[in-house]
Amino acid sequence: MPAFFLTDDKASQEEFLACIRDTAKAIAESCAQPAPDSGAGGQAFFPAYCGPEPAELRAQLAAIPVFPAEGKGFQAVLENIRTHVLPNLVRTASPGYLAHLHSPVLLESVAAELVIAAFNPSMDSWDQSPAATEIEVLVIRELCRLFGFGGTADGVFTSGGSQSNLTGILLARDAFCTQKLKFDVKKHGLPENSARFRMYASEVSHFSMEKSAHLLGLGYGAVRKVPADGRRKMDAGALRRMIREDLAQGNLPFCVAATAGTTDYGSIDPLDDVAEICAEYGLWMHTDAAYGSGLILSGAYRNRLRGIERADSVTVDFHKMFLQPISCSAVLLRDGSQFSPLELHADYLNREEDEEDGYINLVGKSMQTTRRFDALKVWASFQVRGKDGWDAILASCVENAAYVYERLQAAPDSFETIAPPEISSVVFRVRPKPGSVCSGEADTDRMNKSIRRTLLHKKGIITGQTTDNGRVFLKFTLLNPAITRNDLDRLLACILALRDGWQP
Ligand SMILES: *Cc1c(COP(=O)(O)O)cnc(C)c1O
């Protein structure tokens, strides 16, 4: 019978070490798999994926009984992981992994995950997480400083940008009800006129805006989509007009959710203009910086977030530009006292008498109860890399995107682009080979889709795909600071080679 837990018992400690050592070895060795031909000349890429297509993978995994009658022991399961799981996961650290805001993970943060898993602290109350609670408080304080917030700011780690957005919009709704309507949502639920509540987000904002409106009982109809300009940034003039229109119709604007780094384009809404408008109409300013928050670590590019310090709430995702394992995110408030709607005391958990004596129970700022010690990963990687290390990481990603854009612009016969990147994503459409039989936009759509599928299954390269004005575009999301210009040249060459060989 294998040991259950890691304890003060020497045998359990040895078993723990063996289990971790064998697992770590299997993981490291799995990254040495041979790569499929990159087709772009020179040395093959460290591939992002070389597993089978969906049906084959499904059949392979379905052959393993999930819950056998008799336990097989750890080594047998590790063998299954080695054979069937590890080879069939994507390598986020591959230079050919470019599809999503899904980052490679820093080594120190993987080590921190081991500490988190081994001790399993839970952030709801101090007596479940003494050092963990104190570290989260310190990391949050440092983040508030980085974002230019004053001494009354506060924040909390969350499960992701979606939950951070939901938290920000929930607090906006509750502050509006309390302050403007003198109505306590916490006690009474939504007021009768809640169908008139309106929030504003750009037409290219994240879908968690609508999801939040639904979850908060306001419905999708409460989210007014503000047009974006040619650079996919919110049109501030249109925002002002829409607020006026709503006020004239008797609707109740309560929040503007600006985006600092849209999911597709990385475009940043005009934060200062939005802050001005929010101040003028007394609206809560939420800033969804799930993607763009990383820029705050860059000396050269942090000014692109100018105005973010005027937001009432900010979403920061660490499992994107901050290169942390999932999950790792936070929501920050310029005025920490605005967390009060989330506070609720339970005799079995967060007694007020303890808090009066200096025990911090972070559950009072969170939607979650049991919660992970994700702050450790940020704490570790901030110290390992330092401000200079992080500055270089961010510069590399931003400058790689600028380089790709420049290369695409230099080949207008081969590529169509949309806007110069503000962060690290580049959206582009491959044009048919000059003189080819491929004619019309629908054929070009099919060609772009086909290039993406071929890259995935034949080249071990995973690019993004989206649509813009109804047409199919490909996307590079550059979160890996180790990608070189040479890698980028090879990726583009590989795409052009597939384009040249494509038959409608
Ligand atoms: C990724 C993203 C989110 C959602 O964050 P999750 O961590 O995936 O929940 C929200 N907004 C924007 C702009 C994003 O890019």
Side-chain angles (χ1 to χ4, degrees), residues 317-352:
D317 244 352
F318 304 101
H319 54 222
K320 291 178 176 169
M321 293 202 98
F322 291 76
L323 310 178
Q324 300 301 319
I326 300 161
S327 58
C328 203
S329 181
V331 61
L332 307 178
L333 298 189
R334 189 159 44 79
D335 172 6
S337 72
Q338 301 280 4
F339 272 120
S340 68
L342 290 172
E343 202 174 4
L344 188 59
H345 287 276
D347 293 337
Y348 50 79
L349 186 63
N350 54 341
R351 291 157 295 268
E352 280 174 283

PDB file of all heavy atoms in Angstrom, residues 317-352:
ATOM      1  N   ASP A 317      -4.228  39.541 -15.158  1.00  0.00           N
ATOM      2  CA  ASP A 317      -4.070  38.084 -15.308  1.00  0.00           C
ATOM      3  C   ASP A 317      -2.589  37.749 -15.292  1.00  0.00           C
ATOM      4  O   ASP A 317      -1.841  38.238 -16.136  1.00  0.00           O
ATOM      5  CB  ASP A 317      -4.676  37.618 -16.649  1.00  0.00           C
ATOM      6  CG  ASP A 317      -5.852  36.687 -16.470  1.00  0.00           C
ATOM      7  OD1 ASP A 317      -6.115  36.265 -15.329  1.00  0.00           O
ATOM      8  OD2 ASP A 317      -6.507  36.373 -17.467  1.00  0.00           O
ATOM      9  N   PHE A 318      -2.186  36.891 -14.359  1.00  0.00           N
ATOM     10  CA  PHE A 318      -0.775  36.478 -14.328  1.00  0.00           C
ATOM     11  C   PHE A 318      -0.527  35.253 -15.191  1.00  0.00           C
ATOM     12  O   PHE A 318       0.609  34.925 -15.484  1.00  0.00           O
ATOM     13  CB  PHE A 318      -0.338  36.191 -12.888  1.00  0.00           C
ATOM     14  CG  PHE A 318      -0.567  37.350 -11.972  1.00  0.00           C
ATOM     15  CD1 PHE A 318      -1.660  37.358 -11.118  1.00  0.00           C
ATOM     16  CD2 PHE A 318       0.276  38.446 -11.988  1.00  0.00           C
ATOM     17  CE1 PHE A 318      -1.894  38.433 -10.286  1.00  0.00           C
ATOM     18  CE2 PHE A 318       0.044  39.528 -11.159  1.00  0.00           C
ATOM     19  CZ  PHE A 318      -1.044  39.528 -10.312  1.00  0.00           C
ATOM     20  N   HIS A 319      -1.593  34.553 -15.570  1.00  0.00           N
ATOM     21  CA  HIS A 319      -1.359  33.371 -16.422  1.00  0.00           C
ATOM     22  C   HIS A 319      -1.366  33.741 -17.912  1.00  0.00           C
ATOM     23  O   HIS A 319      -1.548  32.895 -18.766  1.00  0.00           O
ATOM     24  CB  HIS A 319      -2.314  32.214 -16.086  1.00  0.00           C
ATOM     25  CG  HIS A 319      -3.769  32.528 -16.094  1.00  0.00           C
ATOM     26  ND1 HIS A 319      -4.642  32.057 -15.139  1.00  0.00           N
ATOM     27  CD2 HIS A 319      -4.527  33.261 -16.920  1.00  0.00           C
ATOM     28  CE1 HIS A 319      -5.861  32.471 -15.405  1.00  0.00           C
ATOM     29  NE2 HIS A 319      -5.821  33.203 -16.488  1.00  0.00           N
ATOM     30  N   LYS A 320      -1.108  35.017 -18.196  1.00  0.00           N
ATOM     31  CA  LYS A 320      -0.886  35.437 -19.584  1.00  0.00           C
ATOM     32  C   LYS A 320       0.524  36.031 -19.683  1.00  0.00           C
ATOM     33  O   LYS A 320       1.478  35.288 -19.667  1.00  0.00           O
ATOM     34  CB  LYS A 320      -1.993  36.397 -20.014  1.00  0.00           C
ATOM     35  CG  LYS A 320      -3.336  35.656 -20.136  1.00  0.00           C
ATOM     36  CD  LYS A 320      -4.492  36.527 -20.518  1.00  0.00           C
ATOM     37  CE  LYS A 320      -5.749  35.687 -20.698  1.00  0.00           C
ATOM     38  NZ  LYS A 320      -6.955  36.523 -20.810  1.00  0.00           N
ATOM     39  N   MET A 321       0.650  37.369 -19.719  1.00  0.00           N
ATOM     40  CA  MET A 321       1.996  37.939 -19.925  1.00  0.00           C
ATOM     41  C   MET A 321       2.964  37.710 -18.764  1.00  0.00           C
ATOM     42  O   MET A 321       4.175  37.890 -18.922  1.00  0.00           O
ATOM     43  CB  MET A 321       1.883  39.434 -20.184  1.00  0.00           C
ATOM     44  CG  MET A 321       1.207  39.769 -21.492  1.00  0.00           C
ATOM     45  SD  MET A 321       1.650  41.426 -22.040  1.00  0.00           S
ATOM     46  CE  MET A 321       2.950  41.020 -23.202  1.00  0.00           C
ATOM     47  N   PHE A 322       2.441  37.365 -17.575  1.00  0.00           N
ATOM     48  CA  PHE A 322       3.345  37.179 -16.433  1.00  0.00           C
ATOM     49  C   PHE A 322       3.883  35.740 -16.366  1.00  0.00           C
ATOM     50  O   PHE A 322       4.571  35.393 -15.410  1.00  0.00           O
ATOM     51  CB  PHE A 322       2.633  37.514 -15.124  1.00  0.00           C
ATOM     52  CG  PHE A 322       2.293  38.970 -14.906  1.00  0.00           C
ATOM     53  CD1 PHE A 322       1.226  39.566 -15.577  1.00  0.00           C
ATOM     54  CD2 PHE A 322       3.018  39.747 -14.013  1.00  0.00           C
ATOM     55  CE1 PHE A 322       0.894  40.899 -15.347  1.00  0.00           C
ATOM     56  CE2 PHE A 322       2.683  41.085 -13.773  1.00  0.00           C
ATOM     57  CZ  PHE A 322       1.622  41.655 -14.448  1.00  0.00           C
ATOM     58  N   LEU A 323       3.509  34.908 -17.367  1.00  0.00           N
ATOM     59  CA  LEU A 323       4.120  33.587 -17.551  1.00  0.00           C
ATOM     60  C   LEU A 323       3.932  32.650 -16.358  1.00  0.00           C
ATOM     61  O   LEU A 323       4.827  31.870 -16.011  1.00  0.00           O
ATOM     62  CB  LEU A 323       5.619  33.744 -17.865  1.00  0.00           C
ATOM     63  CG  LEU A 323       5.967  34.730 -18.992  1.00  0.00           C
ATOM     64  CD1 LEU A 323       7.482  34.837 -19.160  1.00  0.00           C
ATOM     65  CD2 LEU A 323       5.331  34.326 -20.313  1.00  0.00           C
ATOM     66  N   GLN A 324       2.761  32.717 -15.713  1.00  0.00           N
ATOM     67  CA  GLN A 324       2.494  31.872 -14.548  1.00  0.00           C
ATOM     68  C   GLN A 324       1.588  30.695 -14.911  1.00  0.00           C
ATOM     69  O   GLN A 324       0.723  30.818 -15.774  1.00  0.00           O
ATOM     70  CB  GLN A 324       1.808  32.690 -13.450  1.00  0.00           C
ATOM     71  CG  GLN A 324       2.630  33.863 -12.958  1.00  0.00           C
ATOM     72  CD  GLN A 324       3.969  33.425 -12.403  1.00  0.00           C
ATOM     73  OE1 GLN A 324       4.069  32.421 -11.700  1.00  0.00           O
ATOM     74  NE2 GLN A 324       5.014  34.169 -12.738  1.00  0.00           N
ATOM     75  N   PRO A 325       1.778  29.569 -14.212  1.00  0.00           N
ATOM     76  CA  PRO A 325       0.858  28.449 -14.418  1.00  0.00           C
ATOM     77  C   PRO A 325      -0.573  28.846 -14.054  1.00  0.00           C
ATOM     78  O   PRO A 325      -0.787  29.653 -13.145  1.00  0.00           O
ATOM     79  CB  PRO A 325       1.368  27.380 -13.446  1.00  0.00           C
ATOM     80  CG  PRO A 325       2.781  27.757 -13.131  1.00  0.00           C
ATOM     81  CD  PRO A 325       2.855  29.241 -13.255  1.00  0.00           C
ATOM     82  N   ILE A 326      -1.522  28.260 -14.755  1.00  0.00           N
ATOM     83  CA  ILE A 326      -2.951  28.483 -14.491  1.00  0.00           C
ATOM     84  C   ILE A 326      -3.296  27.858 -13.143  1.00  0.00           C
ATOM     85  O   ILE A 326      -2.841  26.750 -12.877  1.00  0.00           O
ATOM     86  CB  ILE A 326      -3.786  27.785 -15.590  1.00  0.00           C
ATOM     87  CG1 ILE A 326      -3.430  28.365 -16.962  1.00  0.00           C
ATOM     88  CG2 ILE A 326      -5.260  27.870 -15.323  1.00  0.00           C
ATOM     89  CD1 ILE A 326      -3.838  27.436 -18.110  1.00  0.00           C
ATOM     90  N   SER A 327      -4.110  28.412 -12.270  1.00  0.00           N
ATOM     91  CA  SER A 327      -4.669  29.726 -12.459  1.00  0.00           C
ATOM     92  C   SER A 327      -3.903  30.760 -11.657  1.00  0.00           C
ATOM     93  O   SER A 327      -3.326  30.426 -10.627  1.00  0.00           O
ATOM     94  CB  SER A 327      -6.136  29.721 -12.024  1.00  0.00           C
ATOM     95  OG  SER A 327      -6.234  29.325 -10.670  1.00  0.00           O
ATOM     96  N   CYS A 328      -3.940  32.004 -12.114  1.00  0.00           N
ATOM     97  CA  CYS A 328      -3.234  33.056 -11.400  1.00  0.00           C
ATOM     98  C   CYS A 328      -3.721  34.406 -11.930  1.00  0.00           C
ATOM     99  O   CYS A 328      -3.403  34.794 -13.048  1.00  0.00           O
ATOM    100  CB  CYS A 328      -1.727  32.898 -11.600  1.00  0.00           C
ATOM    101  SG  CYS A 328      -0.754  33.673 -10.315  1.00  0.00           S
ATOM    102  N   SER A 329      -4.526  35.088 -11.130  1.00  0.00           N
ATOM    103  CA  SER A 329      -5.137  36.327 -11.567  1.00  0.00           C
ATOM    104  C   SER A 329      -5.478  37.153 -10.333  1.00  0.00           C
ATOM    105  O   SER A 329      -5.466  36.625  -9.216  1.00  0.00           O
ATOM    106  CB  SER A 329      -6.421  35.988 -12.342  1.00  0.00           C
ATOM    107  OG  SER A 329      -7.063  37.141 -12.827  1.00  0.00           O
ATOM    108  N   ALA A 330      -5.761  38.442 -10.537  1.00  0.00           N
ATOM    109  CA  ALA A 330      -6.162  39.266  -9.395  1.00  0.00           C
ATOM    110  C   ALA A 330      -7.094  40.367  -9.855  1.00  0.00           C
ATOM    111  O   ALA A 330      -7.127  40.715 -11.041  1.00  0.00           O
ATOM    112  CB  ALA A 330      -4.940  39.892  -8.717  1.00  0.00           C
ATOM    113  N   VAL A 331      -7.869  40.880  -8.918  1.00  0.00           N
ATOM    114  CA  VAL A 331      -8.620  42.106  -9.169  1.00  0.00           C
ATOM    115  C   VAL A 331      -8.160  43.121  -8.124  1.00  0.00           C
ATOM    116  O   VAL A 331      -8.028  42.794  -6.941  1.00  0.00           O
ATOM    117  CB  VAL A 331     -10.153  41.857  -9.148  1.00  0.00           C
ATOM    118  CG1 VAL A 331     -10.642  41.336  -7.811  1.00  0.00           C
ATOM    119  CG2 VAL A 331     -10.920  43.121  -9.536  1.00  0.00           C
ATOM    120  N   LEU A 332      -7.844  44.327  -8.600  1.00  0.00           N
ATOM    121  CA  LEU A 332      -7.358  45.395  -7.717  1.00  0.00           C
ATOM    122  C   LEU A 332      -8.389  46.515  -7.664  1.00  0.00           C
ATOM    123  O   LEU A 332      -9.010  46.837  -8.679  1.00  0.00           O
ATOM    124  CB  LEU A 332      -6.046  45.974  -8.258  1.00  0.00           C
ATOM    125  CG  LEU A 332      -4.907  44.993  -8.557  1.00  0.00           C
ATOM    126  CD1 LEU A 332      -3.701  45.747  -9.122  1.00  0.00           C
ATOM    127  CD2 LEU A 332      -4.503  44.221  -7.308  1.00  0.00           C
ATOM    128  N   LEU A 333      -8.560  47.100  -6.496  1.00  0.00           N
ATOM    129  CA  LEU A 333      -9.488  48.227  -6.342  1.00  0.00           C
ATOM    130  C   LEU A 333      -8.725  49.459  -5.880  1.00  0.00           C
ATOM    131  O   LEU A 333      -7.916  49.371  -4.959  1.00  0.00           O
ATOM    132  CB  LEU A 333     -10.558  47.924  -5.286  1.00  0.00           C
ATOM    133  CG  LEU A 333     -11.513  46.751  -5.507  1.00  0.00           C
ATOM    134  CD1 LEU A 333     -12.610  46.790  -4.465  1.00  0.00           C
ATOM    135  CD2 LEU A 333     -12.116  46.771  -6.900  1.00  0.00           C
ATOM    136  N   ARG A 334      -9.013  50.591  -6.510  1.00  0.00           N
ATOM    137  CA  ARG A 334      -8.354  51.835  -6.106  1.00  0.00           C
ATOM    138  C   ARG A 334      -8.732  52.174  -4.663  1.00  0.00           C
ATOM    139  O   ARG A 334      -7.918  52.665  -3.893  1.00  0.00           O
ATOM    140  CB  ARG A 334      -8.755  52.973  -7.056  1.00  0.00           C
ATOM    141  CG  ARG A 334      -7.963  54.243  -6.870  1.00  0.00           C
ATOM    142  CD  ARG A 334      -8.035  55.125  -8.118  1.00  0.00           C
ATOM    143  NE  ARG A 334      -9.366  55.220  -8.666  1.00  0.00           N
ATOM    144  CZ  ARG A 334     -10.329  56.008  -8.183  1.00  0.00           C
ATOM    145  NH1 ARG A 334     -10.087  56.810  -7.167  1.00  0.00           N
ATOM    146  NH2 ARG A 334     -11.527  56.014  -8.735  1.00  0.00           N
ATOM    147  N   ASP A 335      -9.979  51.883  -4.288  1.00  0.00           N
ATOM    148  CA  ASP A 335     -10.431  52.082  -2.914  1.00  0.00           C
ATOM    149  C   ASP A 335     -10.856  50.727  -2.349  1.00  0.00           C
ATOM    150  O   ASP A 335     -11.936  50.232  -2.659  1.00  0.00           O
ATOM    151  CB  ASP A 335     -11.607  53.069  -2.926  1.00  0.00           C
ATOM    152  CG  ASP A 335     -12.267  53.182  -1.551  1.00  0.00           C
ATOM    153  OD1 ASP A 335     -11.753  52.589  -0.580  1.00  0.00           O
ATOM    154  OD2 ASP A 335     -13.300  53.873  -1.468  1.00  0.00           O
ATOM    155  N   GLY A 336      -9.987  50.158  -1.519  1.00  0.00           N
ATOM    156  CA  GLY A 336     -10.213  48.795  -1.020  1.00  0.00           C
ATOM    157  C   GLY A 336     -11.495  48.644  -0.218  1.00  0.00           C
ATOM    158  O   GLY A 336     -12.033  47.540  -0.111  1.00  0.00           O
ATOM    159  N   SER A 337     -12.018  49.750   0.331  1.00  0.00           N
ATOM    160  CA  SER A 337     -13.244  49.621   1.139  1.00  0.00           C
ATOM    161  C   SER A 337     -14.431  49.205   0.271  1.00  0.00           C
ATOM    162  O   SER A 337     -15.451  48.741   0.776  1.00  0.00           O
ATOM    163  CB  SER A 337     -13.549  50.927   1.887  1.00  0.00           C
ATOM    164  OG  SER A 337     -13.989  51.908   0.959  1.00  0.00           O
ATOM    165  N   GLN A 338     -14.269  49.324  -1.057  1.00  0.00           N
ATOM    166  CA  GLN A 338     -15.357  48.917  -1.963  1.00  0.00           C
ATOM    167  C   GLN A 338     -15.545  47.399  -2.023  1.00  0.00           C
ATOM    168  O   GLN A 338     -16.474  46.915  -2.661  1.00  0.00           O
ATOM    169  CB  GLN A 338     -15.100  49.448  -3.382  1.00  0.00           C
ATOM    170  CG  GLN A 338     -14.975  50.945  -3.491  1.00  0.00           C
ATOM    171  CD  GLN A 338     -16.327  51.660  -3.514  1.00  0.00           C
ATOM    172  OE1 GLN A 338     -17.371  51.043  -3.376  1.00  0.00           O
ATOM    173  NE2 GLN A 338     -16.284  52.967  -3.673  1.00  0.00           N
ATOM    174  N   PHE A 339     -14.650  46.656  -1.382  1.00  0.00           N
ATOM    175  CA  PHE A 339     -14.844  45.198  -1.310  1.00  0.00           C
ATOM    176  C   PHE A 339     -15.979  44.821  -0.349  1.00  0.00           C
ATOM    177  O   PHE A 339     -16.389  43.665  -0.308  1.00  0.00           O
ATOM    178  CB  PHE A 339     -13.568  44.503  -0.820  1.00  0.00           C
ATOM    179  CG  PHE A 339     -12.595  44.134  -1.911  1.00  0.00           C
ATOM    180  CD1 PHE A 339     -11.306  44.640  -1.919  1.00  0.00           C
ATOM    181  CD2 PHE A 339     -12.964  43.244  -2.921  1.00  0.00           C
ATOM    182  CE1 PHE A 339     -10.397  44.286  -2.909  1.00  0.00           C
ATOM    183  CE2 PHE A 339     -12.062  42.877  -3.922  1.00  0.00           C
ATOM    184  CZ  PHE A 339     -10.785  43.399  -3.917  1.00  0.00           C
ATOM    185  N   SER A 340     -16.468  45.779   0.438  1.00  0.00           N
ATOM    186  CA  SER A 340     -17.383  45.426   1.529  1.00  0.00           C
ATOM    187  C   SER A 340     -18.612  44.606   1.109  1.00  0.00           C
ATOM    188  O   SER A 340     -19.066  43.781   1.895  1.00  0.00           O
ATOM    189  CB  SER A 340     -17.791  46.674   2.313  1.00  0.00           C
ATOM    190  OG  SER A 340     -18.586  47.493   1.492  1.00  0.00           O
ATOM    191  N   PRO A 341     -19.164  44.759  -0.106  1.00  0.00           N
ATOM    192  CA  PRO A 341     -20.305  43.893  -0.436  1.00  0.00           C
ATOM    193  C   PRO A 341     -19.975  42.398  -0.375  1.00  0.00           C
ATOM    194  O   PRO A 341     -20.883  41.582  -0.225  1.00  0.00           O
ATOM    195  CB  PRO A 341     -20.666  44.302  -1.871  1.00  0.00           C
ATOM    196  CG  PRO A 341     -20.176  45.696  -2.005  1.00  0.00           C
ATOM    197  CD  PRO A 341     -18.935  45.770  -1.162  1.00  0.00           C
ATOM    198  N   LEU A 342     -18.694  42.043  -0.474  1.00  0.00           N
ATOM    199  CA  LEU A 342     -18.350  40.616  -0.471  1.00  0.00           C
ATOM    200  C   LEU A 342     -18.121  40.077   0.944  1.00  0.00           C
ATOM    201  O   LEU A 342     -17.869  38.889   1.125  1.00  0.00           O
ATOM    202  CB  LEU A 342     -17.106  40.372  -1.334  1.00  0.00           C
ATOM    203  CG  LEU A 342     -17.334  40.540  -2.838  1.00  0.00           C
ATOM    204  CD1 LEU A 342     -16.016  40.475  -3.603  1.00  0.00           C
ATOM    205  CD2 LEU A 342     -18.287  39.459  -3.350  1.00  0.00           C
ATOM    206  N   GLU A 343     -18.222  40.964   1.917  1.00  0.00           N
ATOM    207  CA  GLU A 343     -17.924  40.545   3.279  1.00  0.00           C
ATOM    208  C   GLU A 343     -19.144  39.890   3.929  1.00  0.00           C
ATOM    209  O   GLU A 343     -20.262  40.376   3.806  1.00  0.00           O
ATOM    210  CB  GLU A 343     -17.497  41.766   4.106  1.00  0.00           C
ATOM    211  CG  GLU A 343     -16.703  41.390   5.300  1.00  0.00           C
ATOM    212  CD  GLU A 343     -16.174  42.624   6.028  1.00  0.00           C
ATOM    213  OE1 GLU A 343     -16.517  43.752   5.607  1.00  0.00           O
ATOM    214  OE2 GLU A 343     -15.465  42.448   7.006  1.00  0.00           O
ATOM    215  N   LEU A 344     -18.887  38.783   4.597  1.00  0.00           N
ATOM    216  CA  LEU A 344     -19.956  38.077   5.299  1.00  0.00           C
ATOM    217  C   LEU A 344     -19.252  37.217   6.336  1.00  0.00           C
ATOM    218  O   LEU A 344     -18.249  36.593   6.037  1.00  0.00           O
ATOM    219  CB  LEU A 344     -20.729  37.208   4.299  1.00  0.00           C
ATOM    220  CG  LEU A 344     -22.005  36.515   4.753  1.00  0.00           C
ATOM    221  CD1 LEU A 344     -23.041  37.535   5.243  1.00  0.00           C
ATOM    222  CD2 LEU A 344     -22.614  35.702   3.607  1.00  0.00           C
ATOM    223  N   HIS A 345     -19.760  37.211   7.552  1.00  0.00           N
ATOM    224  CA  HIS A 345     -19.059  36.466   8.604  1.00  0.00           C
ATOM    225  C   HIS A 345     -19.772  35.170   8.935  1.00  0.00           C
ATOM    226  O   HIS A 345     -20.992  35.108   8.965  1.00  0.00           O
ATOM    227  CB  HIS A 345     -18.896  37.332   9.849  1.00  0.00           C
ATOM    228  CG  HIS A 345     -17.865  38.402   9.639  1.00  0.00           C
ATOM    229  ND1 HIS A 345     -16.520  38.186   9.818  1.00  0.00           N
ATOM    230  CD2 HIS A 345     -17.986  39.677   9.194  1.00  0.00           C
ATOM    231  CE1 HIS A 345     -15.859  39.291   9.507  1.00  0.00           C
ATOM    232  NE2 HIS A 345     -16.724  40.217   9.124  1.00  0.00           N
ATOM    233  N   ALA A 346     -18.974  34.125   9.140  1.00  0.00           N
ATOM    234  CA  ALA A 346     -19.532  32.817   9.523  1.00  0.00           C
ATOM    235  C   ALA A 346     -18.824  32.363  10.791  1.00  0.00           C
ATOM    236  O   ALA A 346     -17.599  32.475  10.896  1.00  0.00           O
ATOM    237  CB  ALA A 346     -19.325  31.806   8.406  1.00  0.00           C
ATOM    238  N   ASP A 347     -19.581  31.837  11.727  1.00  0.00           N
ATOM    239  CA  ASP A 347     -18.995  31.395  13.004  1.00  0.00           C
ATOM    240  C   ASP A 347     -17.951  30.300  12.804  1.00  0.00           C
ATOM    241  O   ASP A 347     -17.022  30.165  13.584  1.00  0.00           O
ATOM    242  CB  ASP A 347     -20.093  30.857  13.933  1.00  0.00           C
ATOM    243  CG  ASP A 347     -21.036  31.970  14.359  1.00  0.00           C
ATOM    244  OD1 ASP A 347     -20.610  33.148  14.318  1.00  0.00           O
ATOM    245  OD2 ASP A 347     -22.189  31.664  14.706  1.00  0.00           O
ATOM    246  N   TYR A 348     -18.118  29.509  11.735  1.00  0.00           N
ATOM    247  CA  TYR A 348     -17.206  28.390  11.533  1.00  0.00           C
ATOM    248  C   TYR A 348     -15.950  28.782  10.755  1.00  0.00           C
ATOM    249  O   TYR A 348     -15.082  27.965  10.534  1.00  0.00           O
ATOM    250  CB  TYR A 348     -17.937  27.247  10.797  1.00  0.00           C
ATOM    251  CG  TYR A 348     -18.674  27.697   9.554  1.00  0.00           C
ATOM    252  CD1 TYR A 348     -18.007  27.925   8.360  1.00  0.00           C
ATOM    253  CD2 TYR A 348     -20.051  27.944   9.600  1.00  0.00           C
ATOM    254  CE1 TYR A 348     -18.670  28.371   7.243  1.00  0.00           C
ATOM    255  CE2 TYR A 348     -20.725  28.388   8.481  1.00  0.00           C
ATOM    256  CZ  TYR A 348     -20.038  28.603   7.299  1.00  0.00           C
ATOM    257  OH  TYR A 348     -20.707  29.057   6.197  1.00  0.00           O
ATOM    258  N   LEU A 349     -15.856  30.034  10.289  1.00  0.00           N
ATOM    259  CA  LEU A 349     -14.741  30.360   9.394  1.00  0.00           C
ATOM    260  C   LEU A 349     -13.993  31.638   9.773  1.00  0.00           C
ATOM    261  O   LEU A 349     -12.847  31.593  10.196  1.00  0.00           O
ATOM    262  CB  LEU A 349     -15.261  30.459   7.947  1.00  0.00           C
ATOM    263  CG  LEU A 349     -14.211  30.646   6.866  1.00  0.00           C
ATOM    264  CD1 LEU A 349     -13.268  29.463   6.803  1.00  0.00           C
ATOM    265  CD2 LEU A 349     -14.870  30.836   5.495  1.00  0.00           C
ATOM    266  N   ASN A 350     -14.649  32.754   9.633  1.00  0.00           N
ATOM    267  CA  ASN A 350     -13.948  34.043   9.734  1.00  0.00           C
ATOM    268  C   ASN A 350     -14.572  34.910  10.830  1.00  0.00           C
ATOM    269  O   ASN A 350     -15.205  35.917  10.554  1.00  0.00           O
ATOM    270  CB  ASN A 350     -13.967  34.754   8.382  1.00  0.00           C
ATOM    271  CG  ASN A 350     -15.362  34.919   7.805  1.00  0.00           C
ATOM    272  OD1 ASN A 350     -16.294  34.228   8.207  1.00  0.00           O
ATOM    273  ND2 ASN A 350     -15.520  35.841   6.883  1.00  0.00           N
ATOM    274  N   ARG A 351     -14.367  34.463  12.048  1.00  0.00           N
ATOM    275  CA  ARG A 351     -14.970  35.158  13.189  1.00  0.00           C
ATOM    276  C   ARG A 351     -14.447  36.585  13.322  1.00  0.00           C
ATOM    277  O   ARG A 351     -13.254  36.824  13.215  1.00  0.00           O
ATOM    278  CB  ARG A 351     -14.657  34.376  14.478  1.00  0.00           C
ATOM    279  CG  ARG A 351     -15.371  33.037  14.558  1.00  0.00           C
ATOM    280  CD  ARG A 351     -14.661  32.086  15.484  1.00  0.00           C
ATOM    281  NE  ARG A 351     -13.343  31.748  14.954  1.00  0.00           N
ATOM    282  CZ  ARG A 351     -13.106  30.685  14.166  1.00  0.00           C
ATOM    283  NH1 ARG A 351     -14.071  29.862  13.848  1.00  0.00           N
ATOM    284  NH2 ARG A 351     -11.894  30.453  13.726  1.00  0.00           N
ATOM    285  N   GLU A 352     -15.342  37.510  13.593  1.00  0.00           N
ATOM    286  CA  GLU A 352     -14.930  38.912  13.753  1.00  0.00           C
ATOM    287  C   GLU A 352     -13.963  39.094  14.917  1.00  0.00           C
ATOM    288  O   GLU A 352     -13.060  39.910  14.864  1.00  0.00           O
ATOM    289  CB  GLU A 352     -16.172  39.804  13.938  1.00  0.00           C
ATOM    290  CG  GLU A 352     -16.833  40.097  12.592  1.00  0.00           C
ATOM    291  CD  GLU A 352     -18.150  40.852  12.732  1.00  0.00           C
ATOM    292  OE1 GLU A 352     -19.166  40.206  13.095  1.00  0.00           O
ATOM    293  OE2 GLU A 352     -18.141  42.061  12.476  1.00  0.00           O
TER     294      GLU A 352
END
